[in-house]
């Protein structure tokens, strides 16, 4: 059974974290250091190695060393 109250609070949280993610990505793109909110390790911007094949499925991502933050960048910045 789905706990609807829990579900809606989860949705709220993910909306909020989406805004935070966008902010993190912006900072990373500007070359600023961003720390993972969970482990406080620096988050790195991982760009695809090859840009020769724009249609491949490899997308950019941001992640911390421990991996608790690992966000694939699917949207256009
Ligand atoms: Zn982390």
């Amino acid at each position: 059974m789905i706990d609807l109250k829990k579900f809606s609070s989860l949705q709220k949280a993910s909306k909020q974290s989406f805004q935070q993610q966008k902010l993190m990505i912006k900072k990373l793109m500007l070359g600023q250091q961003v720390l993972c909110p969970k482990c406080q390790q620096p988050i790195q911007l991982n760009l695809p190695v090859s840009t020769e094949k724009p249609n491949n499925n490899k997308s950019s991502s941001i992640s911390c060393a421990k991996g608790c933050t690992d966000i694939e960048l699917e949207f256009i910045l």
Side-chain angles (χ1 to χ4, degrees), residues 3 7 15 18 27 36-37 46 48 51 62 65 68 73 75 77:
D3 187 336
F7 186 67
K15 232 183 206 178
F18 181 69
K27 281 187 177 176
C36 172
N46 310 302
T51 50
I62 58 169
C68 39
L73 308 179
F75 46 89
L77 296 164

Side-chain angles (χ1 to χ4, degrees), residues 13-76:
S14 67
K15 232 183 206 178
Q16 211 174 37
S17 68
F18 181 69
Q19 293 299 320
Q20 284 178 337
Q21 285 169 13
K22 270 180 31 178
L23 206 75
M24 281 199 286
I25 293 155
K26 254 189 197 171
K27 281 187 177 176
L28 286 166
M29 298 294 263
L30 291 169
Q32 294 175 9
Q33 194 180 59
V34 181
L35 297 178
C36 172
K38 283 183 186 166
C39 67
Q40 305 300 312
Q41 299 289 309
I43 291 175
Q44 290 184 332
L45 181 64
N46 310 302
L47 298 172
V49 180
S50 171
T51 50
E52 286 168 22
K53 296 175 192 168
N55 291 326
N56 71 3
N57 286 328
K58 271 194 180 174
S59 54
S60 311
S61 67
I62 58 169
S63 61
C64 71
K66 284 192 171 182
C68 39
T69 296
D70 190 4
I71 304 159
E72 222 170 85
L73 308 179
E74 289 170 9
F75 46 89
I76 297 161

